[in-house]
Amino acid sequence: MAVRVRQTYIQQQPEILEQEQQQRQMQQAVKKKPHVKFFTAGEKFLFIIFAVVVASFAISILHIQGEIQAVSMEIQSIEREITEVNNNNVDLKVRVSELSTHERIWEKAKELGLTLNEKNVKVVPGE
């Protein structure tokens, strides 16, 4: 019986040794995997600050572009108004020149009963 106990003990001993080795390997594996930090807290803070600065610059650029677009549209509308006024002025000048022709003035004078008296005509030096 002592022989059997010894044989079973010897047979169980390699299993125990294997379990211990596995535990040691697991512990070593756990110890071998140190927690790797890619970025420190300071670097993360700097990244956040950088992202905020870049975002604020982007927003300010978009805001300025919007203002430029609004001013550009206002300039175009004013230029259109100037063009319309200039065209109106040209039309009015043409109408004035048409209405101030010598023949038209004579017709209006005859309608009003005026006559030409050569003695009353005074010549004014022209411009």
Side-chain angles (χ1 to χ4, degrees):
M1 184 143 165
V3 175
R4 283 190 191 167
V5 170
R6 192 173 192 154
Q7 286 177 351
T8 55
Y9 177 73
I10 292 174
Q11 288 173 356
Q12 289 177 355
Q13 192 174 15
E15 291 176 7
I16 294 172
L17 288 175
E18 286 178 22
Q19 288 176 356
E20 287 178 8
Q21 285 179 353
Q22 287 177 356
Q23 286 178 355
R24 285 182 196 152
Q25 288 176 354
M26 297 269 288
Q27 288 175 355
Q28 287 177 355
V30 170
K31 288 181 183 178
K32 286 182 183 178
K33 292 183 180 179
H35 184 68
V36 179
K37 289 186 176 182
F38 291 107
F39 302 111
T40 63
E43 290 173 336
K44 289 178 184 177
F45 179 73
L46 288 175
F47 288 143
I48 291 171
I49 295 291
F50 179 72
V52 168
V53 167
V54 168
S56 64
F57 278 138
I59 290 170
S60 67
I61 287 171
L62 290 175
H63 178 71
I64 290 170
Q65 287 292 336
E67 288 180 356
I68 290 171
Q69 184 69 23
V71 170
S72 175
M73 290 173 58
E74 186 177 342
I75 289 171
Q76 287 177 353
S77 68
I78 290 171
E79 286 177 348
R80 251 185 271 121
E81 289 176 11
I82 289 170
T83 304
E84 288 175 11
V85 168
N86 285 338
N87 289 339
N88 193 17
N89 286 344
V90 168
D91 291 341
L92 291 175
K93 285 180 183 179
V94 168
R95 187 159 181 219
V96 164
S97 67
E98 288 174 356
L99 294 175
S100 65
T101 60
H102 191 64
E103 293 82 25
R104 184 174 180 283
I105 292 173
W106 273 111
E107 288 175 13
K108 285 292 183 182
K110 286 181 184 177
E111 287 176 9
L112 296 173
L114 299 174
T115 59
L116 179 62
N117 187 354
E118 295 287 332
K119 294 179 185 176
N120 288 339
V121 175
K122 294 183 182 178
V123 178
V124 180
E127 298 175 27

